[in-house]
């Protein structure tokens, strides 16, 4: 999910808290992030795609849904994973350059680099039945500059949030709030997929440092089960992206409202 390792962050993280509002989101370089993370499809993302794809196929959803992908960055594959069922997809993204990058991809039809991701999804009929995913994503998706912490409640029918809750702050409370806010933004019963870096110590994009919170399976399970049902947590072996993390995690389930 990140560009270059940042081992020094491991020590600063213990003593310095970087809240989401303190990190330099408008210095986030979407082109560099894309080039490092998604130019070539890796085995870890392939496995995440398969798990997410099969979860949504199993949900036996109707069409015409309004979906959401939160913290989209320069990654289109979560939105592609919900495309077959969505009339509309809202991409909520905080960083100005990421918003502009997404608007460009959608305006011109996404680049052929995403075809390798679509190929994995299109191994299942629901996806194969989408005649023109490039045109359908451009028609369905719109980008909204905003924050995971300010989402409306019970707004969306299906949702994804990949490598966001763990990678926007090094404050554990903000990790928990981000997971909860995302789940509360889904209608009761809405299927979702979330991905996380496991035990991430922070990351750099184009030499700019960004914070992360070190979470593992138990942290994810505790937060997700508080507001979801049918929860499955998968651990994906991964060590080739950079140093400073121990794997990837995927949480699948259906939203369940809490009454707080
Ligand atoms: C590690 S990147 C993940 C990007 C992408 N989802 C992926 O799968 O690679 C974290 C993303 O969260 C965005 N972000 C940071 N703070 C946010 C907030 N408060 N609300 C929504 N997105 C935020 C960043 O701009 C960045 O695009």
């Amino acid at each position: 999910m990140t560009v270059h390792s940042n081992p020094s962050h491991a020590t600063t993280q213990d003593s310095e808290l970087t809240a989401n509002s303190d990190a330099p989101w408008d210095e986030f370089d979407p082109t560099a992030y894309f080039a490092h993370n998604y130019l070539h499809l890796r085995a870890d993302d392939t496995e995440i795609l398969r798990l997410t794809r099969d979860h949504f196929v199993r949900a036996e959803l109707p069409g015409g849904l309004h979906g959401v992908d939160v913290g989209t960055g320069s990654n289109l594959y979560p939105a592609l994973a919900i495309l077959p069922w969505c009339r509309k997809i809202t991409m909520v993204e905080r960083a100005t350059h990421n918003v502009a990058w997404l608007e460009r991809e959608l305006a011109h039809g996404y680049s052929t680099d995403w075809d390798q991701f679509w190929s994995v999804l299109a191994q299942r009929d629901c996806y194969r039945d989408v005649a023109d995913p490039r045109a359908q994503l451009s028609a369905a998706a719109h980008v909204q500059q905003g924050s995971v912490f300010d989402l409306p409640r019970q707004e969306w029918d299906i949702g994804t949030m990949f490598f966001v809750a763990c990678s926007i702050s090094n404050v554990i409370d903000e990790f928990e709030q981000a997971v909860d806010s995302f789940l509360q933004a889904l209608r009761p019963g809405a299927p979702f997929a979330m991905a996380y870096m496991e035990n991430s110590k922070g990351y750099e994009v184009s030499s700019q440092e960004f914070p992360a919170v070190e979470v593992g399976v138990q942290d994810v399970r505790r937060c997700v089960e508080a507001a979801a049902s049918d929860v499955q947590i998968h651990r994906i072996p991964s060590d080739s992206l950079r140093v400073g993390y121990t794997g990837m995690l995927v949480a699948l389930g259906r939203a369940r409202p809490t009454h707080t």
Side-chain angles (χ1 to χ4, degrees):
M1 307 308 86
T2 54
V3 178
H4 308 310
S5 60
N6 181 18
S8 64
H9 207 73
T11 49
T12 56
Q13 179 173 303
D14 294 337
S15 54
E16 292 174 19
L17 293 181
T18 304
N20 182 244
S21 56
D22 296 333
W25 298 112
D26 283 340
E27 306 301 318
F28 197 105
D29 178 343
T31 306
Y33 183 82
F34 166 78
H36 184 78
N37 292 287
Y38 301 119
L39 190 55
H40 304 290
L41 175 57
R42 295 187 318 276
D44 45 21
D45 281 320
T46 303
E47 184 58 15
I48 292 170
L49 269 167
R50 284 196 192 114
L51 288 165
T52 303
R53 171 196 74 189
D54 292 350
H55 174 58
F56 290 140
V57 169
R58 269 195 311 272
E60 298 188 342
L61 300 163
L65 302 183
H66 187 182
V68 68
D69 179 53
V70 178
T72 306
S74 40
N75 181 9
L76 295 187
Y77 88 69
L80 290 173
I82 60 175
L83 184 63
W85 301 277
C86 289
R87 163 186 57 83
K88 202 169 157 191
I89 297 174
T90 302
M91 296 172 166
V92 179
E93 168 56 53
R94 174 171 178 155
T96 304
H97 295 307
N98 290 349
V99 169
W101 186 96
L102 287 166
E103 285 175 341
R104 278 196 306 276
E105 281 281 300
L106 295 173
H108 304 301
Y110 60 75
S111 82
T112 53
D113 298 315
W114 295 104
D115 292 345
Q116 57 193 329
F117 294 83
W118 183 260
S119 298
V120 177
L121 296 169
Q123 289 164 3
R124 298 296 297 262
D125 286 346
C126 296
Y127 295 90
R128 208 179 299 130
D129 291 346
V130 177
D132 186 346
R134 187 168 275 103
Q136 191 164 318
L137 188 71
S138 289
H142 68 282
V143 189
Q144 186 178 303
Q145 190 159 21
S147 172
V148 64
F149 301 117
D150 298 324
L151 300 177
R153 287 189 156 227
Q154 298 191 14
E155 177 80 4
W156 289 286
D157 306 306
I158 183 170
T160 48
M161 184 165 80
F162 280 24
F163 309 112
V164 174
C166 54
S167 306
I168 57 172
S169 158
N170 64 12
V171 180
I172 187 76
D173 284 358
E174 289 194 324
F175 166 78
E176 293 170 2
Q177 284 168 32
V179 171
D180 187 61
S181 179
F182 169 74
L183 291 172
Q184 299 296 339
L186 301 176
R187 298 211 168 95
F192 65 82
M194 281 186 273
Y196 311 83
M197 299 298 279
E198 183 188 53
N199 294 317
S200 174
K201 297 182 183 304
Y203 56 105
E204 291 184 1
V205 182
S206 276
S207 304
Q208 178 65 60
E209 289 185 21
F210 291 94
V213 64
E214 292 186 48
V215 290
V217 171
Q218 294 314 322
D219 303 292
V220 170
R221 183 176 297 285
R222 176 175 47 80
C223 291
V224 176
E225 285 186 343
S229 58
D230 306 328
V231 175
Q232 297 171 37
I233 313 283
H234 298 267
R235 186 171 182 281
I236 317 294
S238 171
D239 61 7
S240 62
L241 191 58
R242 59 175 168 85
V243 299
Y245 75 112
T246 57
M248 296 181 183
L249 304 172
V250 176
L252 307 170
R254 287 187 180 260
R256 173 173 56 76
T258 55
H259 302 287
T260 53

